[in-house]
Amino acid sequence: PVQLTILDEAQAKASNPQEKAQVKKADNQIFALARLEKTEVYVGEPLIVSIDLYSKYSSVQFESVKFPSLNGGWVQDIPEAEDQQFRQTQVEGEPFLVATLKKYVLVPQVQGKITIDPLLASVVVSYREASSDPFDVFFGGRVVEKKVELKTPKVSLTALPIPFEGRPADFT
């Protein structure tokens, strides 16, 4: 199985080639990141949670997906296009295809630590296997399919209480 690492926003910025921090990934070919807009918010302050899949495989077919449960707040899915398209990016100077699998608006309703559970997915990736056989070379090589089990670790954020100082008198 391939292990995926969910990173907070600061760590996820490492996917930007200009950043020096290193993206931790369990597999050099496919991994995912959960990006939190912020890791510290006030109760009632909305933030965006995005789950992105990074792959060097041009073909990724999902057999099953269990998206993370988001507890401790009000959650609203942000609708995505029905047919998700990969776009090109670079991670640590390496080319990858990336697609946003899911986006949420999360509005914490309680103060304290809020944990976002893992993404669990089973995917089948396809790639062309290199071969020295002249027929394989002429016809583009043999297509190989491989099943990959994906699991991302939990990620957390902190919801702070709304400050008393500076509140309007009629604020409830």
Side-chain angles (χ1 to χ4, degrees), residues 20 22 31 48 54 85 90 92 121-122 147 154 170:
K20 295 293 181 191
Q22 185 172 343
F31 65 98
I48 305 286
Y54 291 78
Q85 298 294 316
Q90 288 205 349
E92 298 174 355
S122 180
K147 185 173 181 175
K154 296 178 181 182
D170 62 345

Side-chain angles (χ1 to χ4, degrees), residues 27 29-30 55-60 86 97 125-127 146:
D27 181 271
Q29 304 297 311
I30 188 167
S55 177
K56 287 193 173 187
Y57 301 108
S58 58
S59 175
V60 179
F86 279 102
L97 299 171
V125 296
S126 301
Y127 59 94
K146 176 171 76 168

Side-chain angles (χ1 to χ4, degrees), residues 36-47:
L36 301 178
E37 194 174 46
K38 301 176 185 179
T39 56
E40 199 171 83
V41 296
Y42 289 100
V43 170
E45 179 183 358
L47 75 139

Side-chain angles (χ1 to χ4, degrees), residues 25-133:
K25 51 188 182 289
D27 181 271
N28 290 332
Q29 304 297 311
I30 188 167
F31 65 98
L33 298 175
R35 292 181 292 119
L36 301 178
E37 194 174 46
K38 301 176 185 179
T39 56
E40 199 171 83
V41 296
Y42 289 100
V43 170
E45 179 183 358
L47 75 139
I48 305 286
V49 178
S50 302
I51 300 173
D52 297 330
L53 176 70
Y54 291 78
S55 177
K56 287 193 173 187
Y57 301 108
S58 58
S59 175
V60 179
Q61 300 295 319
F62 285 85
E63 288 188 337
S64 65
V65 179
K66 180 181 179 273
F67 285 103
S69 58
L70 304 174
N71 301 313
W74 177 83
V75 178
Q76 176 67 50
D77 285 355
I78 297 174
E80 295 288 329
E82 288 293 319
D83 183 24
Q84 286 295 320
Q85 298 294 316
F86 279 102
R87 58 195 183 278
Q88 294 182 352
T89 190
Q90 288 205 349
V91 178
E92 298 174 355
E94 294 274 333
F96 276 88
L97 299 171
V98 62
T100 299
L101 301 179
K102 196 78 157 166
K103 272 189 178 182
Y104 306 94
V105 175
L106 173 62
V107 182
Q109 301 295 303
V110 295
Q111 70 183 47
K113 183 177 177 181
I114 296 174
T115 300
I116 298 171
D117 291 332
L119 164 85
L120 302 172
S122 180
V123 299
V124 175
V125 296
S126 301
Y127 59 94
R128 294 207 179 269
E129 188 174 61
S131 172
S132 60
D133 183 331

